[in-house]
């Protein structure tokens, strides 16, 4: 494996990315000035980088979009995904469903113990502003796995013939102490070793990270060649050595795009790109409004030459002295008629367009509602409206963010033997991920409402045609709706459990009926025995007649 091939591909990917760099830099300057790395030395820069931002409407809107997607798609307070098999019959088995739920619960626990939920907001923010984001998921001996967010501008991507991202290169810097701790002193260059031993432990060095399909992949082999993806770290100044060579079973980098055009590798459209013109125009209008307010509050003035050597007092209540025979005192150089009301209205219109581009009105539609008589049906209709707008984006998020993320975490945990032993029938079964977050459930509400409407229609029709109830399978409808809502399997029962419960209930009802009949017979006999018809009792007469 020659080092030169990595350098050649790095340069090719850098050239491929170059046409996006200026666009990303402009978006960063006007919306997210601290969310980018266009130079290796951009790390730990505490200087002011928001000089182009006067009105922060776009920055706030990007934050609300990130928060809305975080709470609506990957809310850490509740499970947002569940596991199923590709076989519907297996999914109905109670032992299979409980094992899948147990695996999901352990994955959720690992996610909450890692830094995943601190990285996801940055991913969503990058998606909304730059249309592209990247994060690497690596195994961790303390927290099972750990996520590393890659700032925009610091990485380059490559795609397969299918159009999905399968190659990622990144240029960044590490201190000498960090490099020795992560890669081992024996793998570092002499410069790094010397710095780590001396007073230069905090000296920064360039590092290149590459993850790509392994051209030498041989399934079944132990070591890097047995992995589907190869992973390398190296110092660009060292031509004959690597810091680390390894491999992965899954692509370790999750690189979602908001929208992609044709065979493009990077995202080509997103709220930040759509609102770019309005964002720049808003800063221009805000700057002009500030200038007009300053002209009103402190306009340029004309003053007589006799006052040139004195101090002109412009404070409220101030007094200025000048010769009576001279020119009139201090006066405005010109009158300003700014029409601030019209300017504020124009600014508010541009701000509203920016918020709508970032879907703020959809994510805050309930919070921003001023009416008190909003019905549940209206909220349901608005959820459907939200999904109509966000549906395509949510589908791509599923495909390029959530699916690779869950697959990667599952693989890391499975190789660490953190899951319970599966049922025998699941040995060769492929697992399928279903998402049950708020937005995903809103997308499924049409299916749930369909089941509910069918149940109501069948119940109403049964009044005239009772036999129609035989057509509707109430048990399966409950199981289906529970699956759509992500209800844990332990809250529902499978077919065998239901059969046992119903058989026991039928036996109990039969025993109760037999006891009631016996009790009724005993009471009838007592009544006949107590009834006198002549000398003997009615019961004796009845028995005698029978004899």
């Amino acid at each position: 494996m020659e080092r030169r091939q990595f350098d050649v591909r790095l340069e090719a990917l850098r050239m491929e990315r170059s046409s996006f760099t200026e666009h990303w830099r402009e978006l960063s300057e006007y919306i997210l000035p601290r969310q980018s790395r266009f130079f290796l030395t951009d790390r730990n820069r505490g200087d002011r980088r928001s000089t182009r931002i006067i009105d922060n409407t776009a920055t706030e809107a990007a934050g609300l979009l990130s928060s809305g997607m975080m709470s609506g798609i990957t809310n850490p307070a509740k499970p947002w995904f569940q596991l199923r098999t590709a076989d519907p019959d297996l999914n109905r088995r109670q032992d299979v469903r409980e094992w899948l739920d147990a695996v999901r619960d352990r994955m959720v626990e690992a996610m909450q113990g890692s830094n995943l939920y601190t990285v996801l907001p940055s991913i969503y923010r990058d998606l909304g502003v730059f249309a592209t984001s990247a994060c690497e998921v690596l195994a961790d001996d303390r927290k099972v796995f750990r996520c590393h967010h890659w700032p925009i501008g610091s990485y380059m991507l490559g795609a397969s013939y299918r159009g999905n991202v399968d190659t990622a290169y990144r240029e960044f810097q590490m201190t000498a102490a960090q490099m020795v701790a992560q890669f081992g002193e024996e793998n570092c260059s002499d410069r790094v070793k010397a710095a780590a031993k001396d007073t230069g432990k905090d000296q920064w060095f360039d590092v290149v990270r590459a993850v790509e399909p392994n051209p030498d992949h041989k399934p079944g082999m132990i070591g890097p060649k047995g992995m589907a993806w190869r992973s390398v770290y190296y110092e660009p100044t060292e031509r004959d050595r690597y810091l680390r060579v390894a491999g992965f079973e899954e692509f370790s980098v999750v690189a979602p795009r908001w929208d992609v055009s044709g065979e493009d590798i990077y995202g080509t459209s997103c709220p930040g790109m759509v609102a770019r013109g309005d964002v720049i125009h808003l800063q221009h209008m805000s700057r002009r409004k500030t200038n007009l307010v300053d002209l009103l509050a402190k306009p340029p003035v004309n003053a007589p030459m006799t006052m040139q050597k004195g101090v002109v007092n412009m404070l409220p209540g101030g007094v200025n002295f000048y010769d009576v025979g001279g020119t009139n005192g201090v006066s405005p150089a010109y009158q300003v008629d700014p029409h601030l009301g019209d300017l504020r209205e124009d600014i508010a219109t541009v701000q509203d367009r920016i918020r709508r581009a970032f879907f703020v009105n959809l994510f805050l539609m309930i919070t921003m509602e001023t009416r008190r008589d909003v019905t549940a049906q209206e909220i349901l209709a608005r959820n459907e409206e939200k999904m109509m707008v966000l549906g395509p984006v949510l589908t791509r998020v599923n495909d390029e963010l959530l699916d690779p993320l869950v697959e990667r975490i599952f693989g890391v945990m499975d190789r660490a033997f953190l899951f319970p032993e599966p049922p025998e029938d699941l040995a060769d079964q492929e697992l399928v991920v279903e998402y049950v977050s708020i937005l995903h459930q809103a997308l499924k509400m049409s299916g749930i409402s369909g089941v509910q409407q069918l149940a109501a229609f069948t119940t109403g029709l049964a009044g005239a045609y009772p036999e129609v109830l035989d057509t509707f399978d109430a048990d399966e409808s409950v199981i289906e709706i529970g699956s759509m809502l992500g209800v844990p399997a332990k809250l529902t029962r499978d077919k065998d459990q239901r059969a046992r419960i119903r058989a026991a209930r039928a036996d109990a009802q039969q025993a109760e009926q037999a006891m009631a009949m016996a009790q009724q017979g005993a009471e009838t006999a007592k009544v006949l025995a107590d009834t006198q018809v002549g000398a003997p009792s009615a019961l004796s007469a009845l028995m005698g007649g029978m004899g």
Side-chain angles (χ1 to χ4, degrees), residues 167-328:
T167 300
Y169 278 60
R170 186 188 178 208
E171 298 175 290
F172 64 106
Q173 288 188 328
M174 297 179 66
T175 65
Q178 292 171 345
M179 294 175 68
V180 169
Q182 181 171 351
F183 307 115
E185 183 178 1
E186 67 279 4
N187 296 316
C188 297
S189 65
D190 294 337
R191 297 184 308 119
V192 174
K193 292 178 185 178
K197 291 180 179 179
D198 202 355
T199 58
K201 292 183 178 181
D202 296 318
Q203 182 179 346
W204 293 89
F205 294 89
D206 296 348
V207 177
V208 175
R209 170 84 171 110
V211 184
E212 61 186 5
N214 187 1
D216 302 323
H217 180 216
K218 296 180 180 179
M221 286 192 63
I222 299 176
K225 288 189 176 181
M227 302 296 179
W229 273 266
R230 65 181 180 186
S231 161
V232 299
Y233 292 87
Y234 64 88
E235 299 178 62
T237 56
E238 300 295 318
R239 298 296 179 183
D240 57 348
R241 65 194 308 170
Y242 296 95
L243 291 168
R244 175 178 294 169
V245 177
F248 300 118
E249 292 287 351
E250 310 89 15
F251 186 46
S252 62
V253 179
V254 180
R257 285 85 52 93
W258 185 278
D259 191 18
V260 179
S261 177
E263 58 276 0
D264 288 345
I265 299 174
Y266 300 96
T268 52
S269 178
C270 66
M273 293 180 178
V274 170
R276 169 190 165 278
D278 281 332
V279 172
I280 297 175
H281 182 49
L282 178 62
Q283 310 311 318
H284 175 76
M285 296 174 69
S286 298
R287 188 177 292 106
R288 290 292 178 264
K289 188 189 74 171
T290 302
N291 291 339
L292 288 174
V293 171
D294 287 343
L295 287 174
L296 285 175
K298 194 174 181 179
V301 297
N302 295 325
M305 292 295 295
T306 57
M307 301 181 66
Q308 183 177 8
K309 295 182 180 180
V311 177
V312 179
N313 191 342
M314 301 296 293
L315 296 176
V319 178
N320 292 292
F321 298 95
Y322 62 94
D323 295 335
V324 176
T327 310
N328 289 336

Side-chain angles (χ1 to χ4, degrees), residues 452-465 468-469 472:
Q452 293 173 337
Q453 292 174 10
L454 177 61
F457 175 75
T458 304
T459 304
L461 197 62
Y465 305 98
V468 77
L469 291 175
F472 184 73

Side-chain angles (χ1 to χ4, degrees), residues 65-208:
L65 173 68
S66 173
S67 299
M69 296 183 72
M70 182 70 187
S71 61
I73 299 176
T74 51
N75 191 340
K78 59 177 64 176
W80 45 268
F81 72 97
Q82 61 185 9
L83 301 176
R84 292 289 181 264
T85 69
D87 187 349
D89 294 331
L90 280 177
N91 290 332
R92 294 187 177 91
R93 282 179 41 181
Q94 188 69 13
D95 59 336
V96 172
R97 294 167 59 202
E98 289 183 357
W99 181 83
L100 292 172
D101 283 352
V103 170
R104 189 269 310 272
D105 292 342
R106 295 194 183 187
M107 292 180 67
V108 168
E109 184 179 356
M111 290 176 180
Q112 292 175 342
S114 71
N115 66 331
L116 173 65
Y117 292 116
T118 61
V119 170
L120 280 174
S122 297
I123 294 177
Y124 292 133
R125 197 176 295 115
D126 282 357
L127 275 179
V129 176
F130 306 111
T132 306
S133 185
C135 165
E136 186 169 21
V137 182
L138 298 175
D140 187 83
D141 55 355
R142 295 183 181 179
K143 297 293 185 179
V144 183
F145 68 91
R146 186 166 183 82
C147 302
H148 300 266
H149 173 248
W150 292 3
I152 193 74
S154 68
Y155 60 87
M156 292 132 283
L157 303 176
S160 69
Y161 73 96
R162 296 176 178 271
N164 59 296
V165 175
D166 67 348
T167 300
Y169 278 60
R170 186 188 178 208
E171 298 175 290
F172 64 106
Q173 288 188 328
M174 297 179 66
T175 65
Q178 292 171 345
M179 294 175 68
V180 169
Q182 181 171 351
F183 307 115
E185 183 178 1
E186 67 279 4
N187 296 316
C188 297
S189 65
D190 294 337
R191 297 184 308 119
V192 174
K193 292 178 185 178
K197 291 180 179 179
D198 202 355
T199 58
K201 292 183 178 181
D202 296 318
Q203 182 179 346
W204 293 89
F205 294 89
D206 296 348
V207 177
V208 175

Side-chain angles (χ1 to χ4, degrees), residues 29 33-34 45-54 287:
E29 291 175 349
R34 294 194 176 276
R45 285 186 57 184
D47 55 322
R48 185 182 175 188
R49 305 177 68 180
S50 57
T51 55
R52 292 184 179 271
I53 299 177
I54 299 175
R287 188 177 292 106

